[in-house]
Amino acid sequence: MQYSEIEPQVRSSIEAAKRLLRPKIVDGTLLISSHSAIPAAKSLYISMLSSGLDITLAGPTEASTLIMPYRDVNEVLVFSLGPKDSRAVRAAEEAALMGITTYFIAPQLDDVLEAMLSRHEEISRIMLPPQAPLLTMIVASSLWSSEMKGPRGDRLKAEAADVGSSFSWVSEKYGQQAEEASRFQRFAAVYGPIMEPSARYLCSVAAERCEAMLLLDEVTSFSRITVPVVEVISSVEEHDYKDVELSMKLANLKIVKLLFNVDPVTANLYASIVAALIGGKVI
């Protein structure tokens, strides 16, 4: 793992995310995500839920067949990574034809698909850079989630303004754990519900080493784990899983615990940077 190689890529993603068009997310927003983009879309979903917004997350086919025809949707955000993601484009077109304000967030698509999107004035195209598009989306999700009022909003605005220092803070606070986990030839990622996006990102950047990804609620599956564990959990959910953590310790599993005592809006951003350090790359 070379921090000197990871740091400029992380900083580049942060700067790219800051330049993106910023949707104004409202009640009744539908987030549509292709499978590979779930870490970013679910990060935004969790952030918006914790902010009290009425928001829904679905895959393109589910959104097209079960949600948009039968529910009032005020806004659509589509997250995609694949250059030939026709299902995501089709869902965006359907939203546009229904007169719904739609944002399509992805790197450059196939020319035919880009042309299909450009036909609809209701679709705003948010173009991601080809380098590390998934991390850029995760950073953007945190920035887009920071528009809140009151003390929590003030704190989050301050964090968003200082997001460029995220790598330095993460590497100082979690560098030792990241170094230890980076030496695991194989591992299982276990996570609390809030931290699912960053656990998914970890198993993407370390795909050849991540043997399993398990929600901490899946306690009956832990007996099958024979490899070291990277646990990703937030402080607000930690108390609910003390029994599971005890079970893992009694099973003599080697555990690297990544505990994030931060707001749900920023938790997955910081955890994804740690994941990049563990995986030795940024995507």
Side-chain angles (χ1 to χ4, degrees):
M1 176 178 59
Q2 297 292 327
Y3 280 25
S4 60
E5 297 176 6
I6 299 295
E7 181 175 4
Q9 295 179 61
V10 171
R11 292 188 182 278
S12 177
S13 288
I14 290 172
E15 291 305 312
K18 289 162 68 174
R19 292 191 296 268
L20 296 178
L21 173 68
R22 189 181 190 124
K24 183 173 176 58
I25 301 168
V26 298
D27 266 336
T29 292
L30 171 61
L31 306 180
I32 300 175
S33 179
S34 298
H35 184 76
S36 56
I38 287 175
K42 191 146 194 182
S43 181
L44 182 59
Y45 172 73
I46 290 168
S47 299
M48 292 294 95
L49 280 185
S50 74
S51 305
L53 283 186
D54 174 18
I55 196 162
T56 303
L57 172 64
T61 302
E62 181 184 7
S64 295
T65 59
L66 300 177
I67 298 176
M68 288 191 289
Y70 305 109
R71 289 173 51 181
D72 291 331
V73 176
N74 295 325
E75 184 179 81
V76 166
L77 274 67
V78 183
F79 291 80
S80 174
L81 281 179
K84 296 184 181 295
D85 193 352
S86 58
R87 284 186 292 275
V89 170
R90 186 161 57 250
E93 284 199 295
E94 289 172 5
L97 290 170
M98 296 172 69
I100 302 170
T101 298
T102 302
Y103 299 89
F104 196 95
I105 308 147
Q108 181 73 37
L109 300 178
D110 177 88
D111 289 346
V112 173
L113 296 181
E114 289 288 356
M116 291 169 66
L117 292 173
S118 67
R119 293 192 305 231
H120 303 277
E121 62 180 23
E122 291 85 359
I123 297 177
S124 294
R125 183 70 169 89
I126 300 180
M127 187 74 71
L128 296 173
Q131 298 81 20
L134 184 53
L135 183 61
T136 301
M137 274 198 278
I138 292 171
V139 177
S141 292
S142 293
L143 296 177
W144 297 344
S145 302
S146 63
E147 293 296 325
M148 302 178 197
K149 296 180 180 179
R152 184 184 177 204
D154 292 340
R155 186 179 69 251
L156 287 170
K157 286 183 180 67
E159 281 195 56
D162 195 36
V163 70
S165 65
S166 297
F167 184 89
S168 299
W169 180 79
V170 164
S171 57
E172 179 180 343
K173 188 169 181 63
Y174 299 98
Q176 183 176 344
Q177 296 99 310
E179 181 68 36
E180 184 178 358
S182 71
R183 293 195 293 266
F184 294 157
Q185 292 185 350
R186 306 286 291 178
F187 66 86
V190 302
Y191 60 93
I194 290 173
M195 305 306 295
E196 179 186 345
S198 47
R200 285 181 176 273
Y201 188 76
L202 172 60
C203 286
S204 296
V205 295
E208 69 283 356
R209 295 161 49 214
C210 182
E211 191 170 278
M213 191 179 80
L214 296 169
L215 180 63
L216 280 163
D217 290 283
E218 299 177 72
V219 63
T220 55
S221 300
F222 291 162
S223 61
R224 300 197 298 270
I225 297 178
T226 58
V227 293
V229 166
V230 178
E231 180 185 2
V232 190
I233 191 168
S234 69
S235 57
V236 295
E237 60 194 355
E238 182 187 25
H239 180 75
D240 278 354
Y241 294 102
K242 290 294 186 184
D243 57 327
V244 182
E245 292 185 332
L246 178 60
S247 296
M248 290 193 293
K249 290 177 182 176
L250 291 175
N252 293 316
L253 292 172
K254 184 173 181 59
I255 302 170
V256 169
K257 183 175 180 178
L258 302 173
L259 175 64
F260 293 88
N261 184 22
V262 294
D263 194 282
V265 167
T266 52
N268 282 290
L269 164 59
Y270 299 138
S272 294
I273 295 174
V274 180
L277 296 175
I278 294 171
K281 65 180 178 181
V282 180
I283 60 173

Short mmCIF file of all heavy atoms in Angstrom, two decimals, residues 167-204:
data_model
loop_
_atom_site.label_atom_id
_atom_site.label_comp_id
_atom_site.label_asym_id
_atom_site.label_seq_id
_atom_site.Cartn_x
_atom_site.Cartn_y
_atom_site.Cartn_z
N PHE A 167 -8.38 13.30 3.83
CA PHE A 167 -7.36 12.26 3.73
C PHE A 167 -6.38 12.35 4.89
O PHE A 167 -6.02 11.33 5.50
CB PHE A 167 -6.61 12.35 2.41
CG PHE A 167 -5.61 11.24 2.23
CD1 PHE A 167 -5.99 10.04 1.65
CD2 PHE A 167 -4.30 11.36 2.68
CE1 PHE A 167 -5.09 9.00 1.51
CE2 PHE A 167 -3.39 10.33 2.54
CZ PHE A 167 -3.78 9.15 1.95
N SER A 168 -5.95 13.55 5.23
CA SER A 168 -4.99 13.72 6.32
C SER A 168 -5.57 13.23 7.64
O SER A 168 -4.91 12.52 8.41
CB SER A 168 -4.58 15.19 6.44
OG SER A 168 -3.97 15.64 5.26
N TRP A 169 -6.84 13.59 7.90
CA TRP A 169 -7.48 13.18 9.15
C TRP A 169 -7.66 11.66 9.20
O TRP A 169 -7.36 11.02 10.20
CB TRP A 169 -8.84 13.87 9.28
CG TRP A 169 -9.57 13.50 10.54
CD1 TRP A 169 -9.35 14.01 11.79
CD2 TRP A 169 -10.63 12.53 10.68
NE1 TRP A 169 -10.21 13.42 12.70
CE2 TRP A 169 -11.00 12.52 12.04
CE3 TRP A 169 -11.29 11.70 9.78
CZ2 TRP A 169 -12.01 11.70 12.53
CZ3 TRP A 169 -12.30 10.88 10.27
CH2 TRP A 169 -12.65 10.88 11.62
N VAL A 170 -8.11 11.09 8.10
CA VAL A 170 -8.34 9.64 8.05
C VAL A 170 -7.03 8.87 8.20
O VAL A 170 -6.96 7.90 8.97
CB VAL A 170 -9.04 9.26 6.73
CG1 VAL A 170 -8.94 7.75 6.47
CG2 VAL A 170 -10.51 9.67 6.76
N SER A 171 -6.01 9.28 7.49
CA SER A 171 -4.74 8.54 7.55
C SER A 171 -4.12 8.63 8.94
O SER A 171 -3.48 7.69 9.41
CB SER A 171 -3.77 9.05 6.48
OG SER A 171 -3.52 10.43 6.63
N GLU A 172 -4.32 9.77 9.63
CA GLU A 172 -3.78 9.90 10.98
C GLU A 172 -4.56 9.06 11.98
O GLU A 172 -3.97 8.40 12.84
CB GLU A 172 -3.82 11.38 11.40
CG GLU A 172 -3.29 11.62 12.81
CD GLU A 172 -3.34 13.08 13.20
OE1 GLU A 172 -3.47 13.94 12.30
OE2 GLU A 172 -3.25 13.38 14.41
N LYS A 173 -5.89 9.06 11.85
CA LYS A 173 -6.73 8.38 12.84
C LYS A 173 -6.83 6.88 12.59
O LYS A 173 -6.90 6.09 13.54
CB LYS A 173 -8.14 9.00 12.84
CG LYS A 173 -9.02 8.47 13.97
CD LYS A 173 -10.28 9.29 14.08
CE LYS A 173 -11.18 8.78 15.21
NZ LYS A 173 -10.54 8.91 16.54
N TYR A 174 -6.83 6.47 11.32
CA TYR A 174 -7.07 5.06 10.99
C TYR A 174 -5.91 4.40 10.25
O TYR A 174 -6.04 3.28 9.78
CB TYR A 174 -8.35 4.93 10.14
CG TYR A 174 -9.59 5.41 10.85
CD1 TYR A 174 -10.09 6.70 10.62
CD2 TYR A 174 -10.26 4.60 11.76
CE1 TYR A 174 -11.23 7.15 11.26
CE2 TYR A 174 -11.40 5.05 12.41
CZ TYR A 174 -11.88 6.33 12.16
OH TYR A 174 -13.01 6.77 12.81
N GLY A 175 -4.80 5.11 10.13
CA GLY A 175 -3.68 4.57 9.37
C GLY A 175 -3.17 3.24 9.88
O GLY A 175 -2.85 2.34 9.10
N GLN A 176 -3.10 3.09 11.20
CA GLN A 176 -2.59 1.84 11.77
C GLN A 176 -3.50 0.67 11.44
O GLN A 176 -3.04 -0.41 11.04
CB GLN A 176 -2.43 1.98 13.29
CG GLN A 176 -1.83 0.75 13.96
CD GLN A 176 -1.61 0.96 15.45
OE1 GLN A 176 -1.62 2.08 15.95
NE2 GLN A 176 -1.39 -0.13 16.16
N GLN A 177 -4.82 0.88 11.61
CA GLN A 177 -5.77 -0.19 11.29
C GLN A 177 -5.74 -0.52 9.80
O GLN A 177 -5.82 -1.68 9.40
CB GLN A 177 -7.19 0.21 11.71
CG GLN A 177 -7.38 0.40 13.19
CD GLN A 177 -7.33 1.86 13.59
OE1 GLN A 177 -6.40 2.58 13.20
NE2 GLN A 177 -8.33 2.31 14.34
N ALA A 178 -5.66 0.54 8.96
CA ALA A 178 -5.62 0.31 7.52
C ALA A 178 -4.37 -0.48 7.13
O ALA A 178 -4.44 -1.39 6.29
CB ALA A 178 -5.64 1.65 6.78
N GLU A 179 -3.24 -0.16 7.75
CA GLU A 179 -2.00 -0.88 7.46
C GLU A 179 -2.12 -2.35 7.84
O GLU A 179 -1.72 -3.24 7.08
CB GLU A 179 -0.85 -0.23 8.23
CG GLU A 179 0.50 -0.88 7.99
CD GLU A 179 1.00 -0.67 6.58
OE1 GLU A 179 0.77 0.40 6.00
OE2 GLU A 179 1.62 -1.60 6.03
N GLU A 180 -2.71 -2.62 9.00
CA GLU A 180 -2.88 -4.01 9.45
C GLU A 180 -3.81 -4.77 8.51
O GLU A 180 -3.50 -5.89 8.08
CB GLU A 180 -3.43 -4.04 10.87
CG GLU A 180 -3.56 -5.44 11.45
CD GLU A 180 -4.07 -5.45 12.87
OE1 GLU A 180 -4.30 -4.37 13.46
OE2 GLU A 180 -4.26 -6.57 13.41
N ALA A 181 -4.94 -4.16 8.16
CA ALA A 181 -5.91 -4.84 7.29
C ALA A 181 -5.35 -5.01 5.88
O ALA A 181 -5.69 -5.99 5.19
CB ALA A 181 -7.21 -4.06 7.24
N SER A 182 -4.49 -4.11 5.44
CA SER A 182 -3.94 -4.22 4.09
C SER A 182 -3.04 -5.44 3.94
O SER A 182 -2.79 -5.89 2.82
CB SER A 182 -3.16 -2.95 3.73
OG SER A 182 -1.95 -2.87 4.46
N ARG A 183 -2.59 -5.99 5.05
CA ARG A 183 -1.72 -7.17 5.00
C ARG A 183 -2.50 -8.47 4.96
O ARG A 183 -1.91 -9.54 4.77
CB ARG A 183 -0.76 -7.17 6.19
CG ARG A 183 0.27 -6.03 6.14
CD ARG A 183 1.41 -6.28 7.11
NE ARG A 183 0.96 -6.22 8.50
CZ ARG A 183 1.01 -5.13 9.26
NH1 ARG A 183 1.49 -4.00 8.77
NH2 ARG A 183 0.59 -5.15 10.51
N PHE A 184 -3.81 -8.41 5.16
CA PHE A 184 -4.63 -9.62 5.09
C PHE A 184 -4.68 -10.12 3.65
O PHE A 184 -5.09 -9.40 2.75
CB PHE A 184 -6.05 -9.37 5.57
CG PHE A 184 -6.19 -9.03 7.03
CD1 PHE A 184 -7.30 -8.33 7.49
CD2 PHE A 184 -5.22 -9.41 7.95
CE1 PHE A 184 -7.44 -8.02 8.82
CE2 PHE A 184 -5.36 -9.10 9.30
CZ PHE A 184 -6.46 -8.41 9.73
N GLN A 185 -4.28 -11.37 3.43
CA GLN A 185 -4.38 -11.94 2.08
C GLN A 185 -5.84 -12.21 1.72
O GLN A 185 -6.23 -12.09 0.56
CB GLN A 185 -3.55 -13.22 2.00
CG GLN A 185 -2.06 -12.97 2.10
CD GLN A 185 -1.25 -14.23 1.89
OE1 GLN A 185 -1.80 -15.35 1.85
NE2 GLN A 185 0.06 -14.08 1.75
N ARG A 186 -6.62 -12.59 2.71
CA ARG A 186 -8.07 -12.78 2.54
C ARG A 186 -8.73 -12.21 3.78
O ARG A 186 -8.18 -12.26 4.88
CB ARG A 186 -8.43 -14.26 2.40
CG ARG A 186 -7.71 -15.01 1.30
CD ARG A 186 -8.21 -14.66 -0.07
NE ARG A 186 -9.56 -15.16 -0.31
CZ ARG A 186 -10.24 -14.94 -1.43
NH1 ARG A 186 -9.70 -14.21 -2.40
NH2 ARG A 186 -11.45 -15.42 -1.60
N PHE A 187 -9.94 -11.69 3.64
CA PHE A 187 -10.66 -11.19 4.81
C PHE A 187 -12.15 -11.19 4.52
O PHE A 187 -12.60 -11.29 3.37
CB PHE A 187 -10.19 -9.78 5.20
CG PHE A 187 -10.50 -8.71 4.19
CD1 PHE A 187 -11.74 -8.06 4.18
CD2 PHE A 187 -9.57 -8.35 3.23
CE1 PHE A 187 -12.03 -7.08 3.24
CE2 PHE A 187 -9.85 -7.37 2.28
CZ PHE A 187 -11.09 -6.74 2.29
N ALA A 188 -12.94 -11.06 5.59
CA ALA A 188 -14.38 -10.87 5.48
C ALA A 188 -14.70 -9.47 5.99
O ALA A 188 -14.20 -9.06 7.04
CB ALA A 188 -15.14 -11.91 6.30
N ALA A 189 -15.51 -8.74 5.27
CA ALA A 189 -15.96 -7.42 5.71
C ALA A 189 -17.31 -7.58 6.40
O ALA A 189 -18.25 -8.10 5.82
CB ALA A 189 -16.09 -6.47 4.52
N VAL A 190 -17.39 -7.16 7.66
CA VAL A 190 -18.67 -7.17 8.38
C VAL A 190 -18.99 -5.72 8.73
O VAL A 190 -18.09 -4.90 8.98
CB VAL A 190 -18.64 -8.06 9.63
CG1 VAL A 190 -18.28 -9.49 9.26
CG2 VAL A 190 -17.67 -7.52 10.68
N TYR A 191 -20.27 -5.38 8.74
CA TYR A 191 -20.61 -3.97 8.84
C TYR A 191 -21.96 -3.76 9.52
O TYR A 191 -22.83 -4.62 9.52
CB TYR A 191 -20.67 -3.35 7.43
CG TYR A 191 -21.69 -4.01 6.52
CD1 TYR A 191 -22.98 -3.52 6.42
CD2 TYR A 191 -21.36 -5.15 5.77
CE1 TYR A 191 -23.92 -4.13 5.60
CE2 TYR A 191 -22.29 -5.76 4.95
CZ TYR A 191 -23.57 -5.25 4.87
OH TYR A 191 -24.50 -5.86 4.07
N GLY A 192 -22.10 -2.59 10.13
CA GLY A 192 -23.39 -2.14 10.63
C GLY A 192 -24.19 -1.55 9.50
O GLY A 192 -23.65 -1.13 8.47
N PRO A 193 -25.53 -1.46 9.64
CA PRO A 193 -26.38 -0.99 8.55
C PRO A 193 -25.99 0.37 7.99
O PRO A 193 -26.06 0.59 6.77
CB PRO A 193 -27.78 -0.93 9.20
CG PRO A 193 -27.71 -1.91 10.31
CD PRO A 193 -26.31 -1.88 10.82
N ILE A 194 -25.57 1.29 8.84
CA ILE A 194 -25.21 2.63 8.36
C ILE A 194 -23.99 2.59 7.46
O ILE A 194 -23.84 3.41 6.55
CB ILE A 194 -24.96 3.57 9.57
CG1 ILE A 194 -26.29 3.87 10.27
CG2 ILE A 194 -24.29 4.88 9.15
CD1 ILE A 194 -26.13 4.66 11.57
N MET A 195 -23.12 1.61 7.68
CA MET A 195 -21.83 1.57 7.00
C MET A 195 -21.80 0.63 5.80
O MET A 195 -20.73 0.34 5.25
CB MET A 195 -20.73 1.17 7.99
CG MET A 195 -20.67 2.05 9.23
SD MET A 195 -20.53 3.83 8.87
CE MET A 195 -18.94 3.89 8.07
N GLU A 196 -22.95 0.17 5.34
CA GLU A 196 -22.98 -0.72 4.18
C GLU A 196 -22.29 -0.11 2.95
O GLU A 196 -21.54 -0.82 2.25
CB GLU A 196 -24.42 -1.09 3.82
CG GLU A 196 -24.50 -2.00 2.60
CD GLU A 196 -25.92 -2.27 2.14
OE1 GLU A 196 -26.88 -1.99 2.89
OE2 GLU A 196 -26.08 -2.76 1.00
N PRO A 197 -22.49 1.18 2.63
CA PRO A 197 -21.84 1.71 1.42
C PRO A 197 -20.32 1.57 1.44
O PRO A 197 -19.72 1.16 0.44
CB PRO A 197 -22.27 3.19 1.44
CG PRO A 197 -23.57 3.20 2.16
CD PRO A 197 -23.40 2.17 3.24
N SER A 198 -19.70 1.89 2.56
CA SER A 198 -18.23 1.82 2.62
C SER A 198 -17.75 0.37 2.67
O SER A 198 -16.67 0.06 2.17
CB SER A 198 -17.69 2.62 3.80
OG SER A 198 -18.39 2.33 4.98
N ALA A 199 -18.54 -0.53 3.26
CA ALA A 199 -18.17 -1.95 3.22
C ALA A 199 -18.21 -2.45 1.78
O ALA A 199 -17.33 -3.22 1.35
CB ALA A 199 -19.13 -2.77 4.10
N ARG A 200 -19.20 -2.02 1.03
CA ARG A 200 -19.26 -2.39 -0.39
C ARG A 200 -18.06 -1.81 -1.16
O ARG A 200 -17.49 -2.48 -2.03
CB ARG A 200 -20.56 -1.89 -1.02
CG ARG A 200 -21.80 -2.70 -0.63
CD ARG A 200 -23.04 -2.13 -1.32
NE ARG A 200 -24.22 -2.92 -1.05
CZ ARG A 200 -24.60 -3.99 -1.75
NH1 ARG A 200 -23.87 -4.38 -2.79
NH2 ARG A 200 -25.70 -4.66 -1.46
N TYR A 201 -17.73 -0.58 -0.84
CA TYR A 201 -16.58 0.03 -1.52
C TYR A 201 -15.30 -0.73 -1.18
O TYR A 201 -14.46 -0.96 -2.07
CB TYR A 201 -16.45 1.50 -1.11
CG TYR A 201 -15.41 2.25 -1.91
CD1 TYR A 201 -15.65 2.65 -3.22
CD2 TYR A 201 -14.17 2.55 -1.36
CE1 TYR A 201 -14.70 3.32 -3.97
CE2 TYR A 201 -13.20 3.24 -2.09
CZ TYR A 201 -13.47 3.61 -3.39
OH TYR A 201 -12.51 4.26 -4.13
N LEU A 202 -15.15 -1.12 0.08
CA LEU A 202 -13.98 -1.90 0.49
C LEU A 202 -13.88 -3.19 -0.32
O LEU A 202 -12.79 -3.56 -0.80
CB LEU A 202 -14.07 -2.23 1.98
CG LEU A 202 -13.03 -3.20 2.54
CD1 LEU A 202 -11.62 -2.68 2.34
CD2 LEU A 202 -13.30 -3.48 4.02
N CYS A 203 -15.00 -3.86 -0.49
CA CYS A 203 -14.97 -5.13 -1.22
C CYS A 203 -14.89 -4.92 -2.73
O CYS A 203 -14.72 -5.89 -3.48
CB CYS A 203 -16.19 -5.98 -0.85
SG CYS A 203 -16.05 -6.70 0.81
N SER A 204 -15.00 -3.68 -3.19
CA SER A 204 -14.75 -3.37 -4.59
C SER A 204 -13.27 -3.08 -4.84
O SER A 204 -12.69 -3.57 -5.80
CB SER A 204 -15.59 -2.15 -5.02
OG SER A 204 -16.97 -2.45 -4.96
#
